[in-house]
Amino acid sequence: MTRRVLGRAFLVSLLLLGAAGAASYTVKAGDTLYSVARTNGTTVAELTRLNRLGSTALEVGQVLTLPGTSSGSAPAAPAPASAPATSPILPATTGASLPGVAVRAPFSLRMGDGFTLRLSGVRAGQASVRFPSEVGEDVRRPNEVLKPIGAAGEYLVPGRVVLGKTTPVVYEVSVGGDLVRGQIPVTGLDQPIQHLNLPVSVTNKLQDPARAAEEAAVEKAYARRTPQVWSRPFSPALASTRGTSSGFGQPRTYLAGGPVAYHYGTDYPAPTGTPVLAVNDGTVIIAGKYPVRGNLVVIDHGAGVVSMYFHQSRLLVKAGQKVVRGQKLGEVGTTGLSAGPHLHLEVRVRGEATNPAGWMNRLWPR
Ligand SMILES: [Zn+2]
């Protein structure tokens, strides 16, 4: 085990410009790579590729090349010439360590993955963990100081890769005066944009004045930090499924020509009335009807992890109620912004959507 205390300048942003003649955008104060991508109908991955960006950091006045409309098939750009190849960052896998703490992390991640950092050693329980790569990203409470969760000789910290992010996740573990950083490469999902072209009667729900209260309620749920309550693997929310009708992380537009949004959950088509089951033990923190999510249940499982069940036809639980894995919460329906009976399931880590598939049949995502 090698002790490494790394310096600050570990990620260098390379601000090379793309081909002349393409559409471009000049960065203004307050812009993030994600917001620029979203407002221009593209993705962070595409902007990163086109501009050969080495990080998500932007500078005011920086000119970004946007995907052209007349370029046909653009030649594939070489892999971003970013800092990782030459920086002193530890390899993107296990082995990061400092005195009394060994850190294990996934080899690689995909956009929207939930994941787990695993700490062991005599000082693991006293360590603090942060994800400094979240600074400047469109993410709730970036770089929060996290205390690992003790579990039988091992300590865990759940992480999340936000949708739209393809730059490496950087983690930082500190204990006493010692500090180690590591990084994990991230790949995109490369899903083509799905154009839903929903009827105006459905999308009118996006203008419903009750939406502000809906968003406030879910943001309050995302901000909760309670102790982990589950001790068994997560299980599916439907007893049987007929596949998915819209996958996690799918980029989509709701109206023709409208802005691109990511799909923060997974849609499981099922007949109205199909039982909706808790994916694990927890406390119901929201059970009510909202304009977009319809009849919604949110369960706090602790450790910053919540699961969300949208569009139900009816609800059988109340806020404040403790539930166990597999317990019936309600029934599948098509309430809220929904075009047919299905369950939309989300699993969020500290407010950010993670791929539900990564949790199923596991105690923690990898
Ligand atoms: Zn959905």
Side-chain angles (χ1 to χ4, degrees):
M1 288 196 267
T2 309
R3 176 178 171 178
R4 304 215 191 189
V5 180
L6 302 172
R8 296 175 278 188
F10 60 93
L11 276 181
V12 180
S13 149
L14 297 181
L15 307 173
L16 303 176
L17 299 180
S24 67
Y25 176 82
T26 303
V27 174
K28 299 190 293 289
D31 283 343
T32 65
L33 201 52
Y34 179 77
S35 70
V36 173
R38 190 167 46 183
T39 53
N40 290 284
T42 181
T43 64
V44 168
E46 182 67 3
L47 288 180
T48 301
R49 187 186 69 79
L50 277 176
N51 295 279
R52 302 182 188 185
L53 300 177
S55 85
T56 54
L58 296 178
E59 289 178 1
V60 172
Q62 181 181 350
V63 179
L64 293 171
T65 300
L66 299 174
T69 51
S70 59
S71 58
S73 58
S82 60
T86 52
S87 81
I89 294 292
L90 292 166
T93 175
T94 64
S97 65
L98 62 173
V101 186
V103 183
R104 289 195 296 135
F107 282 93
S108 66
L109 293 166
R110 299 212 309 167
M111 202 167 91
D113 274 348
F115 65 96
T116 315
L117 282 188
R118 295 168 188 272
L119 279 52
S120 56
V122 293
R123 292 205 295 168
Q126 288 92 57
S128 296
V129 172
R130 299 188 306 149
F131 294 99
S133 53
E134 292 179 346
V135 174
E137 294 178 352
D138 191 0
V139 53
R140 293 173 178 83
R141 290 176 73 170
N143 208 23
E144 185 175 344
V145 176
L146 303 164
K147 297 306 290 181
I149 298 160
E154 194 171 49
Y155 288 82
L156 309 173
V157 175
R160 68 267 168 96
V161 185
V162 290
L163 286 166
K165 176 197 173 89
T166 53
T167 52
V169 167
V170 176
Y171 60 87
E172 184 180 290
V173 180
S174 58
V175 62
D178 298 314
L179 178 148
V180 68
R181 286 200 181 109
Q183 69 175 29
I184 311 169
V186 174
T187 56
L189 299 176
D190 292 327
Q191 294 153 306
I193 295 173
Q194 179 186 43
H195 299 284
L196 297 182
N197 298 333
L198 295 178
V200 170
S201 60
V202 174
T203 54
N204 275 347
K205 287 171 182 166
L206 293 171
Q207 270 77 52
D208 190 313
R211 271 200 79 199
E214 175 173 2
E215 295 311 309
V218 296
E219 288 298 334
K220 198 173 159 193
Y222 301 154
R224 285 171 68 99
R225 299 291 185 268
T226 59
Q228 178 192 3
V229 297
W230 77 94
S231 56
R232 298 176 292 169
F234 283 72
S235 66
L238 298 179
S240 67
T241 62
R242 299 178 297 185
T244 60
S245 51
S246 182
F248 172 80
Q250 172 71 53
R252 44 159 68 161
T253 62
Y254 291 99
L255 282 175
V260 174
Y262 286 103
H263 188 223
Y264 292 118
T266 303
D267 288 348
Y268 302 96
T272 297
T274 302
V276 173
L277 313 174
V279 295
N280 218 328
D281 303 349
T283 303
V284 175
I285 51 173
I286 294 177
K289 189 161 193 177
Y290 295 93
V292 172
R293 294 167 180 83
N295 279 318
L296 169 71
V297 171
V298 179
I299 298 177
D300 179 14
H301 302 287
V305 179
V306 300
S307 58
M308 310 176 72
Y309 312 79
F310 292 22
H311 309 311
Q312 297 180 71
S313 55
R314 68 185 190 116
L315 303 181
L316 301 173
V317 293
K318 293 198 164 15
Q321 184 179 339
K322 289 200 179 344
V323 293
V324 297
R325 186 182 71 172
Q327 183 170 337
K328 186 172 172 181
L329 305 172
E331 295 176 352
V332 169
T334 185
T335 55
L337 186 61
S338 168
H342 74 285
L343 174 68
H344 170 111
L345 173 69
E346 294 187 6
V347 179
R348 288 183 177 249
V349 175
R350 296 188 295 279
E352 300 303 332
T354 63
N355 192 343
W359 293 84
M360 290 306 135
N361 306 311
R362 295 168 182 269
L363 202 51
W364 290 92
R366 71 202 173 93

